[in-house]
Amino acid sequence: MTAQTVEETLDTVFRMESARIIATVARIVRDVGIAEEIAQDALVAALEQWPRAGVPDRPGAWLTATAKHRAVDLVRRRETYARKLAEAGRELTEEAYDPEPSGPGDIDDDLLRLVFTTCHPVLSADARTALTLRLLGGLRTDEIARAFLVPEATVAARVTRAKRTLARSGVTFEVPYGEDRAARLGSVLEVIYLIFNEGYAATAGDDLLRPALCEDALRLARVLAALMPREGEVHGLAALLEIQASRTAARTGPDGQPVLLADQDRRRWDRLLIRRGYAALGRAVEADGATGPYALQAAIAACHARATRYEETDWATIAALYRRLAAVAPSPVVELNRAVAVSMAEGPEAGLALVDALAAAPALDRYHLLPSVRGDLLARLGRQAEARAEFARAAELTRNERERALLLKRAAGAAG
């Protein structure tokens, strides 16, 4: 294996495992900033050793073990360690840092603890989300910026300030309880949602999907739903992710190219995940009527799941649900999705009017789905030259190679 191949393998493994490594180390050192540094140290150690010794059979376990050893060494060197050891009354071993037995309200999951820690109220809402996406999602600054529809420099500044604030405030790796947990819940749900979205439709790279991110987000949503059974929006988020994840196998073809919703083979949708989503949506209805933004999105996803064929989709109901969603969680992206539903329920001219009204929204200035949707509506209206220009612009804006190829293909089709 060449040095370049080793580096590429390590990059892939670290991207998949960094969140678990940081969470595991944070449980030991009780500081997320230091935990990230130790994880980076483990990465450097792998870059030094793997080209000579070869890639381990379990590279993720190797990185985690290396990081844990360095974390324990750090704790041993701390001046206060001797006193803490005496108080604890036990010897320091690797096993001593395994998760302690859970109480009824404990969050017995390192990744979820990491989410709640980085969603501490000492940080602004934007900083919480950006930092958690960076640490737990393993997203780069440009990917986070794309998710937020803001400049990369803005995200970089948020992450830097967030780390400094946590360190300065002495925030530790902790499990919140009661009102403190409730106060952080909104940010936690947003982070899990954004991580899933990045896995469901990758911002950049050669692949449309990043399944590991989807799996982590879905697992976190399930754990959170079990811990907070009376929170309707927790169940709403779980329902949304279950139903969205059910489409994964049908969203790409054998060559990895994206398959549009209208062209997907719905027999490949995972019916077990759909049933789990329906059940979670039912629990959201029981908890609070399913009136929150995640539950409303889950209801929209459920409408798609109930249609055995694209032509049977209840677009009128979907458009109405998007109208309710826009009322409780207004955003230009929601309005863009509503425009699509309206175009299917009332015709492309009605949808195009809504899309054109969004053209001046600053948040959508570099959002590739705006010209993509507009191109689709223009094509349906027979305005092929205009559609081609919109698809070409969308292809220029996207950073995902699979999406770019699809958009260029649609532009060529419109030209033809």
Side-chain angles (χ1 to χ4, degrees):
M1 186 176 290
T2 66
Q4 181 179 353
T5 303
V6 170
E7 289 185 13
E8 291 173 352
T9 301
L10 178 56
D11 180 68
T12 300
V13 171
F14 189 76
R15 195 173 177 84
M16 294 172 58
E17 300 291 338
S18 61
R20 293 184 181 87
I21 296 169
I22 292 170
T24 299
V25 173
R27 174 165 46 86
I28 298 173
V29 300
R30 303 289 170 175
D31 186 302
V32 294
I34 293 174
E36 186 184 20
E37 293 177 4
I38 291 175
Q40 291 292 331
D41 287 344
L43 175 64
V44 172
L47 284 171
E48 294 174 348
Q49 297 181 37
W50 290 10
R52 298 194 308 268
V55 177
D57 292 336
R58 298 173 58 206
W62 189 99
L63 289 168
T64 301
T66 300
K68 286 179 67 176
H69 283 304
R70 292 180 182 230
V72 170
D73 288 342
L74 176 64
V75 173
R76 282 196 176 113
R77 292 196 301 268
R78 287 177 175 170
E79 294 180 356
T80 58
Y81 176 69
R83 176 179 58 80
K84 289 182 178 180
L85 179 61
E87 291 172 356
R90 55 185 171 82
E91 295 182 357
L92 174 65
T93 64
E94 298 282 354
E95 290 72 25
Y97 289 102
D98 283 342
E100 57 273 10
S102 301
D106 283 348
I107 299 177
D108 193 15
D109 185 286
D110 285 339
L111 284 176
L112 204 54
R113 293 187 188 199
L114 180 60
V115 176
F116 271 98
T117 299
T118 54
C119 287
H120 196 282
V122 298
L123 302 176
S124 69
D126 288 341
R128 296 174 204 169
T129 306
L131 181 62
T132 308
L133 286 171
R134 170 73 177 167
L135 296 182
L136 187 121
L139 274 62
R140 299 189 307 270
T141 302
D142 62 319
E143 294 171 330
I144 302 172
R146 193 70 170 181
F148 279 116
L149 302 178
V150 298
E152 291 182 31
T154 300
V155 172
R158 286 177 187 172
V159 171
T160 300
R161 285 197 300 268
K163 291 178 182 178
R164 290 174 179 171
T165 300
L166 288 177
R168 185 169 58 249
S169 303
V171 174
T172 58
F173 190 66
E174 62 183 1
V175 178
Y177 293 90
E179 293 182 0
D180 189 18
R181 181 181 297 181
R184 302 190 207 180
L185 182 59
S187 291
V188 170
L189 295 178
E190 181 183 15
V191 166
I192 295 174
Y193 176 68
L194 290 174
I195 291 173
F196 181 88
N197 278 352
E198 181 59 33
Y200 191 72
T203 301
D206 296 330
D207 298 314
L208 177 69
L209 305 176
R210 294 175 59 185
L213 287 182
C214 289
E215 291 168 5
D216 272 344
L218 186 54
R219 184 176 60 81
L220 290 171
R222 289 169 178 169
V223 170
L224 196 59
L227 287 165
M228 309 183 78
R230 297 181 181 178
E231 290 288 343
E233 271 293 78
V234 173
H235 294 298
L237 177 64
L240 173 61
L241 302 195
E242 297 278 10
I243 297 174
Q244 293 290 79
S246 73
R247 306 178 194 169
T248 300
R251 292 189 66 239
T252 55
D255 57 356
Q257 292 298 327
V259 178
L260 298 175
L261 181 63
D263 301 324
Q264 289 177 17
D265 181 355
R266 300 191 174 205
R267 293 171 299 180
R268 301 187 66 197
W269 288 8
D270 190 321
R271 305 313 299 183
L272 173 59
L273 290 179
I274 290 174
R275 288 195 296 272
R276 291 179 64 102
Y278 289 162
L281 185 56
R283 288 189 287 270
V285 172
E286 292 174 2
D288 62 7
T291 56
Y294 296 113
L296 287 171
Q297 290 180 76
I300 292 169
C303 282
H304 287 292
R306 292 188 185 101
T308 56
R309 297 186 303 121
Y310 184 77
E311 293 76 15
E312 297 173 359
T313 306
D314 186 354
W315 290 107
T317 297
I318 291 174
L321 287 168
Y322 270 121
R323 193 175 297 111
R324 291 174 58 190
L325 179 60
V328 299
S331 87
V333 173
V334 170
E335 290 294 343
L336 182 61
N337 287 326
R338 184 169 79 88
V340 173
V342 168
S343 79
M344 298 303 296
E346 303 176 18
E349 287 186 356
L352 185 60
L354 294 175
V355 171
D356 287 345
L358 293 170
L364 299 183
D365 182 53
R366 305 289 298 171
Y367 189 52
H368 74 283
L369 291 182
L370 177 63
S372 175
V373 168
R374 193 167 189 276
D376 182 67
L377 296 176
L378 290 167
R380 288 166 58 191
L381 288 168
R383 296 159 62 176
Q384 300 301 329
E386 296 172 83
R388 178 184 180 281
E390 292 295 331
F391 287 134
R393 171 167 168 73
E396 291 177 358
L397 291 176
T398 185
R399 297 186 185 183
N400 186 281
E401 294 302 322
R402 298 292 187 179
E403 281 190 319
R404 179 178 291 112
L406 175 62
L407 289 164
L408 289 174
K409 181 179 180 180
R410 299 197 72 188

